[in-house]
Amino acid sequence: MNKKIGLWLLMLVALIAVGTAIAHMSCIFLGPQCYAAQMAPPEIVQSAENGTLLAPLSTAFISLLFIIVGLYSLSSARVIRRLPLLSLAVYVISTLCIVRGLATIPSSFIYPELVSIFSTIAGAIWFLTGVMFILGHNFIRQANR
């Protein structure tokens, strides 16, 4: 039973990560308004407006990181072959997701002008993603012992 739950959690993590990568990549095609809507730093929005390479290159790099998260999630679920340093990567990625989610709380006090429904939901999603990643990984590991 736990193996099945672990598989579902890890598949959901992969879906969230790949969906996030696609959403980020859409900015390259949709333009500066998309960057602004996704709360990109002002330098990135300005780059998109000016047509310089900073925006698309940084977007591609960030999207690649999300794809790597998805691949590690699929590897943990044993849908694809085992990737190097799998357990370490899962724990590091999970921790980063949880910290990113929790950072929404103090950030909203420090930068209240940046608080929006989008930023609050994004923080909650990444917190839950980190929790699901570590739980799913541990469920799969325990089931395969």
Side-chain angles (χ1 to χ4, degrees), residues 101-136:
L102 290 175
T104 303
I105 298 166
S107 295
S108 59
F109 292 108
I110 298 168
Y111 305 105
E113 68 278 4
L114 296 179
V115 175
S116 67
I117 291 174
F118 177 79
S119 66
T120 304
I121 291 172
I125 287 172
W126 284 109
F127 174 79
L128 292 173
T129 299
V131 171
M132 290 187 299
F133 203 1
I134 203 155
L135 285 176

Side-chain angles (χ1 to χ4, degrees), residues 75-95:
S75 180
S76 180
R78 300 175 191 248
V79 172
I80 63 172
R81 72 176 188 82
R82 184 177 175 85
L83 294 176
L85 304 171
L86 179 62
S87 288
L88 176 63
V90 169
Y91 290 118
V92 169
I93 293 167
S94 297
T95 300

